[in-house]
Amino acid sequence: RTLVPLLGLILLLCITSTPVRGVDLERPVDYWVPDDYGTIQDAIDNAPIHSVIGLSRDLETTAMTIDLDRPMVIRGQGTGGVTTVRFVNTVGTYDYVFDVTADHSGLQDLIIEEEYYDIEAGIRVEADFVGINEVEMHGFDERGIWAVGSSDLEVSYCYLDLNGPIADAIILHTSPNAHIIGNTITSSLSTGIDLSYSDDVIIELNEISNCEDDGVHVYSSERATIRDNEISFCGGGIELSWSSNADIDGNLIDQCESYGLLLWNGASDNLVTNNEITNTYLETAGPFGPIITGNGIKIDKIDQPTENNVVKRNLIQDNYVGGYVDISDQNYIYLNDFIDNTE
């Protein structure tokens, strides 16, 4: 009589003890570069799979690939008590500094700098259950972290300072179930976090500033969770199109230019609650004087209806326009505080 409940308890313990992400970034280092292997790529190619490769000092390196059947964790240790290691790409003709195509791989405690341009991405991921933790990236003129065809990616507590004309900081394309948490993104000349065709993604506790385009852009993705982020000094705050069933909650959006939150062109059945949207304002020169725009919340339609969205309990303050709604059906806007908006 006790066997079945006992077996059920054992099964439950096994299920609950399984890690959410499929790579352990906290295991001890197995091999060191340059002590055990002369280069990082040499360690990736020759160490036993699933090894943790530690970097005992700052290194200068060309592009690297964690190949399909060679899952590894690369961890920087630095020198002089510093826990990160600096990479300088010195070639400029390769597509990526790190190209990760092996499931269950990881990068941790690294500083990646681009010395020469024409790098398509600092880190490209086309693999499942990859972890990227406490990585700093500086100077890239295109993409920072680019995931395509991946699932269950985790990008956590990274610092990305980019400066190129199409420098999206974090891009997820056809990459569901990702967790983007605690990152700092600044000075991206394009978008902070760009999500497309990627369902069930969580974006939380990130600080995003000084992006020329959106802080967070979501396109054709279902059930995104965007919560407790701080977005400031961007072209736009959060934009959704062709996306539904998102939960947008508890974000602070301040001093963006075109809009704090934009729902348009097929963005339907989304829930927008408890956000603070302030100081959305843009002044440009016009033929007869300055043109002033800036919408705290904007709901619009181009080709597809934008409907059944719920916008409630938000603070919308000190924007040029508090709320702008055009060609809208069945959207519910209530219990919000519209305070001191010009229009």
Side-chain angles (χ1 to χ4, degrees), residues 32-35 38-40 54-61 75-88 109-113:
W32 292 92
V33 175
D35 306 313
T39 66
I40 301 169
L55 311 180
S56 60
R57 60 178 175 84
D58 293 355
L59 296 171
E60 188 172 290
T61 181
R75 180 184 302 148
Q77 300 296 321
T79 56
V82 178
T83 60
T84 59
V85 63
R86 186 177 304 278
F87 285 96
V88 181
D109 290 337
L110 306 175
I111 296 177
I112 304 175
E113 289 192 344

Side-chain angles (χ1 to χ4, degrees), residues 298-336:
K298 183 176 182 180
I299 299 176
D300 205 352
K301 167 190 174 181
I302 301 297
D303 299 317
Q304 292 295 317
T306 301
E307 59 189 16
N308 296 320
N309 297 288
V310 175
V311 179
K312 67 176 182 178
R313 296 196 177 96
N314 301 281
L315 172 63
I316 304 162
Q317 184 171 6
D318 293 321
N319 307 283
Y320 180 67
V321 175
Y324 176 94
V325 180
D326 189 20
I327 316 179
S328 169
D329 290 323
Q330 302 181 72
N331 292 291
Y332 304 90
I333 304 173
Y334 61 101
L335 296 178
N336 302 281

Side-chain angles (χ1 to χ4, degrees), residues 169-183:
I170 298 174
I171 302 176
L172 303 179
H173 179 72
T174 59
S175 298
N177 301 310
H179 192 194
I180 312 300
I181 178 173
N183 303 284

Side-chain angles (χ1 to χ4, degrees), residues 27 45 69 81 143 147 261 280 284 335:
R27 292 187 294 116
D45 293 341
D69 57 352
R143 302 166 183 87
L261 172 71
T280 310
T284 57
L335 296 178

Side-chain angles (χ1 to χ4, degrees), residues 242-301:
W242 296 84
S243 300
S244 61
N245 297 298
D247 184 4
I248 304 172
D249 181 77
N251 301 283
L252 304 179
I253 303 172
D254 183 53
Q255 299 190 69
C256 292
E257 294 179 344
S258 298
Y259 44 79
L261 172 71
L262 172 61
L263 303 174
W264 74 297
N265 210 24
S268 299
D269 300 291
N270 301 291
L271 179 62
V272 180
T273 55
N274 304 308
N275 302 281
E276 294 186 15
I277 302 174
T278 54
N279 299 298
T280 310
Y281 187 90
L282 175 63
E283 182 175 324
T284 57
F288 304 104
I291 298 174
I292 301 174
T293 57
N295 303 282
I297 288 180
K298 183 176 182 180
I299 299 176
D300 205 352
K301 167 190 174 181

